[in-house]
Amino acid sequence: MEGTQSSACLLLCPTWTNPQLRSTSTGTGSAPTGRASSATLCSTGRPSRSGPSPISVGSTEVSVAVTLDGYADAVRGDRFMMPAECRLPLSFMLDVLEGRAQHPGVLYVQKQCANLPTKLPQLLPDLESHVPWASEALGKMPDAVNFWLEEAAAVTSLHKDHYENLYCVVSGEKHFLFHPPSDLPFIPYELYTPATYQLTEEGAFKVVDEEAMEKVPWIPLDPLVPDLARYPSYSQAQALRCTVRAGEMLCLPALWFHHVQQSQGCIAVNFWYDMEYDLKYSYFQLLDSLTKASGLD
């Protein structure tokens, strides 16, 4: 990890050490295959815990987010842009990732609503339902277990979550940029009109304002190319960078700001544990109030 010392922690994730994922094609498309822990992924077959038997996922339909330029839930111009959503066979998503099919937008599977157990139950035999040491330390089970599959062009804009995040990379690698909560005074927030991408039948994108929704407070700054003329206070923030590779787990504390990119076709699973609204949260709220009172925001 580059930058100053951080309490974010990178650990080896033994469940998916050396997953050796590869791809095969079938009549219905393709899916990643190879040994993750005790099973493989393929377009046909049934799961088995006793050996590397294939798991059928290729024909499964998943909720896919679609954007024009890879940025979703992000500030684009004077709007807070949310992705279009559609349901596509996972095999088609994998074909796009591997260049055998095309789509006018940038695709990614990252529906953050416990999509792995509810939408891809075929994968459950190949991972534990929680991270035992984290569940013991936090005194609870995870609120959600999420599956992530993305194109390299997909970008997660700088934001924070109210969850303790255990992020496991199965294949490929993820590139994180962090800021600790103490950098809050130097990170700009502004209010934006929410809007959603819609994909037309011709394959074009249009922007539709969500007039019934309130304005969204969001970070307009891109930490990779910050506009310091417009946001000079950001120069005082201390960015940290970390690459999480296959077989590794990132422990990302709640309220830490993070910006994420990945390699093409990166596969990941994360476990969200709801944060405790304790003294740590009170300190963060105090810092937020002081920042606003001083005009630093």
Side-chain angles (χ1 to χ4, degrees), residues 2-17:
E2 301 175 2
T4 58
Q5 187 173 4
S6 162
S7 63
C9 181
L10 180 63
L11 300 173
L12 182 67
C13 178
T15 304
W16 296 290
T17 301

Side-chain angles (χ1 to χ4, degrees), residues 19 23-24 36 87 94 110 115 118 146 181 199 201 208 222 240-242 256 285 292 297:
S23 178
T24 61
R87 295 193 62 79
L94 290 157
Q110 58 173 39
N115 67 340
T118 59
N146 302 309
L199 191 60
E201 293 182 358
V208 178
D222 183 344
L240 308 163
R241 290 175 174 82
C242 177
W256 277 63
Q285 291 297 95
K292 292 175 180 176
D297 62 335

Side-chain angles (χ1 to χ4, degrees), residues 189-252:
Y189 272 88
E190 295 177 6
L191 289 173
Y192 292 90
T193 299
T196 302
Y197 285 117
Q198 284 191 4
L199 191 60
T200 68
E201 293 182 358
E202 293 76 25
F205 282 87
K206 65 178 182 179
V207 174
V208 178
D209 286 343
E210 299 292 345
E211 297 178 355
M213 295 177 60
E214 296 182 354
K215 288 193 172 184
V216 177
W218 205 258
I219 301 168
L221 176 139
D222 183 344
L224 301 182
V225 285
D227 184 350
L228 297 180
R230 184 174 180 182
Y231 306 110
S233 294
Y234 184 72
S235 62
Q236 302 179 61
Q238 298 292 317
L240 308 163
R241 290 175 174 82
C242 177
T243 294
V244 186
R245 298 177 176 87
E248 295 178 331
M249 173 189 291
L250 174 71
C251 304
L252 179 60

Side-chain angles (χ1 to χ4, degrees), residues 175-186:
H175 309 291
F176 287 83
L177 181 147
F178 309 102
H179 283 286
S182 55
D183 274 352
L184 174 63
F186 315 122

Side-chain angles (χ1 to χ4, degrees), residues 247-277:
E248 295 178 331
M249 173 189 291
L250 174 71
C251 304
L252 179 60
L255 301 178
W256 277 63
F257 298 93
H258 50 289
H259 173 281
V260 192
Q261 295 175 293
Q262 61 283 317
S263 60
Q264 181 76 353
C266 180
I267 300 172
V269 173
N270 81 309
F271 299 81
W272 263 350
Y273 291 81
D274 196 13
M275 67 172 286
E276 293 293 331
Y277 291 82

